[in-house]
Amino acid sequence: MIAILKKELWSYFGNWSAWVIIAAFSLITALFLFFFENDSNIFDIGMASLQSYFVLVPWLLMFIIPALSMKTFAEEQQTGTLNWLFSQPLKVSELVTGKFLSVWIVGVLCLIPSLIYLYTIYVLGVPAGNIDFGMTFGSYIGLIMLIAAFAGVGILASSLSQNQIMAYLLGVFMCFIMYFGIEQLASYKLLGGADFILQNIGFYQHFLGFTRGLIDFKDVAYFILIIGATLLLSNHFITKKK
């Protein structure tokens, strides 16, 4: 698993793709938070808070994480190297876990430049340092869990697809449904009491708890369950190709 993790990380950072993704992610968030006139602009909001950042980032991750994960298995199958991996002395579960961890790590690294935004907010606060660190810390933990969930979904999409384009489109669609689609469907209140159950199936409500500074065991357990389920399904579909 460690060998696969190192191989995947090198494939991201060795050809500059990870650097480009992290730089593009940071540039887009900076433009929305400090320059573009929109509901996320911190100067327009007039509050020393990164709350708008934590609202914006999941939507960007919905497109970025599938871009990172689309090549994990779809490319291996497309180029024929998946059979070579099967011939190596490693379990399919180690292969899936190594690739998942690489996507997750690169996704988390996308958040590192936001510490500059945090420092900026800290300095601009009146008085300086007037920022809710509990909410901010909880939101970062929520984003880390959400990235892991998106990565699991992206790995599953890649294991189901024959090529990278299909893996990317399927990954974006699945992430969108899990984060926003289920939540939106539940908001229509078409199922009566079942709407609450439907609402709690999606990512949004569980991520929302973290953005309020509440690190609830049920929310953490939910994301761990989602990650475990997606990796088990990926393991199943890859094993079938063996």
Side-chain angles (χ1 to χ4, degrees):
M1 186 188 73
I2 299 298
I4 293 295
L5 174 59
K6 289 180 178 178
K7 169 184 171 294
E8 291 296 313
L9 287 177
W10 175 251
S11 72
Y12 288 125
F13 289 99
N15 63 3
W16 296 93
S17 60
W19 300 107
V20 171
I21 288 175
I22 293 172
F25 180 86
S26 303
L27 177 61
I28 293 171
T29 53
L31 289 174
F32 273 94
L33 291 178
F34 297 103
F35 297 98
F36 293 163
E37 291 186 7
N38 62 94
D39 293 337
S40 299
N41 190 297
I42 291 174
F43 295 119
D44 290 342
I45 295 172
M47 291 178 58
S49 171
L50 276 182
Q51 187 65 30
S52 56
Y53 174 80
F54 299 118
V55 173
L56 173 65
V57 165
W59 289 95
L60 298 178
L61 292 174
M62 201 181 298
F63 295 94
I64 288 176
I65 299 301
L68 291 169
S69 62
M70 66 181 183
K71 76 181 193 67
T72 50
F73 289 108
E75 183 186 47
E76 302 280 12
Q77 186 169 346
Q78 199 172 2
T79 58
T81 55
L82 188 59
N83 291 327
W84 177 80
L85 286 173
F86 288 151
S87 67
Q88 302 304 304
L90 61 117
K91 300 176 183 177
V92 174
S93 59
E94 295 172 338
L95 180 62
V96 171
T97 306
K99 287 179 176 290
F100 161 76
L101 289 175
S102 67
V103 175
W104 185 38
I105 288 172
V106 176
V108 171
L109 289 177
C110 288
L111 304 179
I112 299 299
S114 70
L115 296 178
I116 299 173
Y117 311 153
L118 180 60
Y119 176 75
T120 303
I121 296 298
Y122 181 88
V123 172
L124 291 177
V126 180
N130 183 25
I131 184 172
D132 189 342
F133 282 105
M135 184 213 71
T136 304
F137 176 75
S139 298
Y140 272 113
I141 296 297
L143 279 181
I144 291 172
M145 300 297 291
L146 187 64
I147 290 170
F150 280 160
V153 171
I155 294 289
L156 176 58
S158 187
S159 70
L160 289 169
S161 305
Q162 300 291 329
N163 58 73
Q164 295 187 64
I165 296 176
M166 183 58 68
Y168 177 72
L169 294 176
L170 182 60
V172 171
F173 175 75
M174 292 169 66
C175 288
F176 174 81
I177 291 298
M178 290 301 297
Y179 181 75
F180 182 73
I182 293 177
E183 171 68 20
Q184 193 66 16
L185 182 61
S187 69
Y188 292 138
K189 302 187 183 303
L190 301 174
L191 303 176
D195 285 319
F196 176 76
I197 299 174
L198 181 64
Q199 196 174 46
N200 281 276
I201 293 175
F203 294 166
Y204 180 78
Q205 283 298 319
H206 297 279
F207 173 68
L208 193 62
F210 288 101
T211 63
R212 294 167 177 161
L214 302 174
I215 303 177
D216 195 318
F217 172 77
K218 290 186 291 186
D219 295 327
V220 174
Y222 166 81
F223 279 113
I224 292 174
L225 178 63
I226 290 293
I227 295 163
T230 53
L231 294 185
L232 283 174
L233 287 171
S234 300
N235 185 84
H236 170 72
F237 289 118
I238 295 301
T239 302
K240 288 182 67 176
K241 297 178 181 181
K242 195 169 183 180

